[in-house]
Amino acid sequence: MTYRPLALVTGASSGIGLELALEFARNGYDVALSGSSAQIFDAAKRIEDLGATAYAYRADAATHEGVESFWQFTLGLGRPLEAAALNVGIGLGGAFIDTALEDDLRVIAINITGTVHMAKNVARFMVAQGHGRILITSSVSATLPTPFETVYGPSKAFGFMFAESLREELRESGVTVTALLPGATDSRFHKNAGMARSAIDQGPKNDKTLVARQGYEALMKDLDHVVGGDDTTRQMVEENRITPEPVKAARHARLTRLNP
Ligand SMILES: NC(=O)c1ccc[n+]([C@@H]2O[C@H](COP(=O)([O-])OP(=O)(O)OC[C@H]3O[C@@H](n4cnc5c(N)ncnc54)[C@H](OP(=O)(O)O)[C@@H]3O)[C@@H](O)[C@H]2O)c1
């Protein structure tokens, strides 16, 4: 019997998560993958077409039960877990005074609470087994204020510093942690966030396959973080490090304000 390592990927029905799952499969991994829609089973089919075994699970990552049940499903496979991509995340565009509170809280439930919940399970499991690699999908949004996505950007800043913090804590445990910071990427993300009428959704996007490959390679090289995207995206992040927050905020507002 051939041994294939197992990777877990959340938010893998489409977009960057699906590309990460395909990247794991291309590199010899079987994949446990989750999403909230039936599309997760189509994603599993694409992974199996690459010769990997896919274990698809449908659950709502906005709920404690949804996160925990996917973890229990993965544990139930009875296999070591070599890698975990905590990727699921949603956006929300619009002026803060206009968005529904329940939608703001859903961003926090998926991007922050759900990520912490899954990371707790994964980190404990991997430390006990003595090895493993954790990838957390943050965003370039973690490096600037994000008006008109005022809850989303800070949720991704949380993901970035959470990954960097956990990485240091686990440094001698055999478990690595890497943050992936994609720039604007060609998925349904902005449309799903209600941002189809924004300049950012209509502007240039990075290739999701490239972003996922960069995340995978950074994970394998044990980098603390990697920017996902082209040279312009990487340069923007460098500039963000030395640009005052109000300047970045005004620039971002021009990209995210919804056009009439
Ligand atoms: N695209 C960008 O411009 C961009 C830039 C920076 C960072 N990111 C980050 O990249 C990650 C992936 O985003 P993406 O661009 O691939 O977005 P996407 O195309 O909208 O994909 C989101 C994925 O999450 C799943 N999902 C959404 N809500 C869910 C829920 N409640 N429970 C379980 N799964 C759920 C979706 O599957 P179902 O439809 O089956 O639920 C889908 O697989 C996110 O963390 C995002 O913050 C994206």
Side-chain angles (χ1 to χ4, degrees):
M1 197 170 91
T2 9
Y3 169 76
R4 289 175 65 98
L6 179 69
L8 168 158
V9 183
T10 66
S13 298
S14 60
I16 297 168
L18 173 56
E19 296 302 322
L20 279 168
L22 293 170
E23 194 63 30
F24 278 113
R26 272 184 220 106
N27 284 281
Y29 287 73
D30 291 337
V31 187
L33 64 161
S34 69
S36 69
S37 73
Q39 230 187 313
I40 197 68
F41 301 109
D42 301 331
K45 173 85 182 51
R46 288 193 52 193
I47 291 163
E48 300 224 310
D49 287 346
L50 294 171
T53 301
Y55 306 95
Y57 192 79
R58 193 174 168 187
D60 183 359
T63 66
H64 185 92
E65 200 274 332
V67 175
E68 190 60 28
S69 64
F70 176 49
W71 174 245
Q72 292 302 328
F73 168 81
T74 306
L75 271 188
L77 301 175
R79 299 176 53 164
L81 184 62
E82 309 299 332
L86 309 187
N87 165 80
V88 66
I90 61 165
L92 179 63
F96 182 67
I97 58 163
D98 294 336
T99 51
L101 177 60
E102 63 182 1
D103 292 340
D104 294 322
L105 296 181
R106 188 172 168 79
V107 171
I108 293 170
I110 294 177
N111 298 9
I112 300 183
T113 309
T115 300
V116 170
H117 182 169
M118 189 54 97
K120 183 76 92 182
N121 287 332
V122 167
R124 283 180 171 162
F125 183 87
M126 286 181 171
V127 168
Q129 83 182 353
H131 65 276
R133 299 174 191 272
I134 302 173
L135 182 70
I136 294 179
T137 306
S138 168
S139 171
V140 163
S141 294
T143 67
L144 71 159
T146 58
F148 301 104
E149 300 179 288
T150 288
V151 174
Y152 171 72
S155 79
K156 293 278 117 177
F158 173 87
F160 184 19
M161 285 305 132
F162 176 70
E164 294 279 2
S165 305
L166 187 58
R167 174 184 176 81
E168 175 61 21
E169 271 193 48
L170 300 185
R171 199 153 52 85
E172 287 169 12
S173 70
V175 180
T176 68
V177 185
T178 298
L180 168 61
L181 278 60
T185 301
D186 63 348
S187 72
R188 296 271 314 157
F189 176 81
H190 288 102
K191 289 189 176 57
N192 291 343
M195 297 176 71
R197 286 184 289 115
S198 66
I200 198 165
D201 192 42
Q202 288 152 14
K205 299 271 180 85
N206 288 292
D207 173 10
K208 56 183 180 287
T209 312
L210 170 71
V211 169
R213 192 169 63 240
Q214 290 167 328
Y216 176 84
E217 285 171 359
L219 181 68
M220 292 304 141
K221 285 184 193 151
D222 187 15
L223 302 185
D224 69 304
H225 76 276
V226 68
V227 174
D230 60 10
D231 290 346
T232 310
T233 305
R234 271 194 300 279
Q235 195 184 331
M236 194 170 72
V237 171
E238 287 308 310
E239 284 168 16
N240 282 347
R241 293 184 198 282
I242 51 164
T243 306
E245 312 313 315
V247 173
K248 291 185 285 191
R251 191 183 64 201
H252 194 75
R254 288 194 289 277
L255 289 173
T256 50
R257 192 189 296 270
L258 300 183
N259 297 316

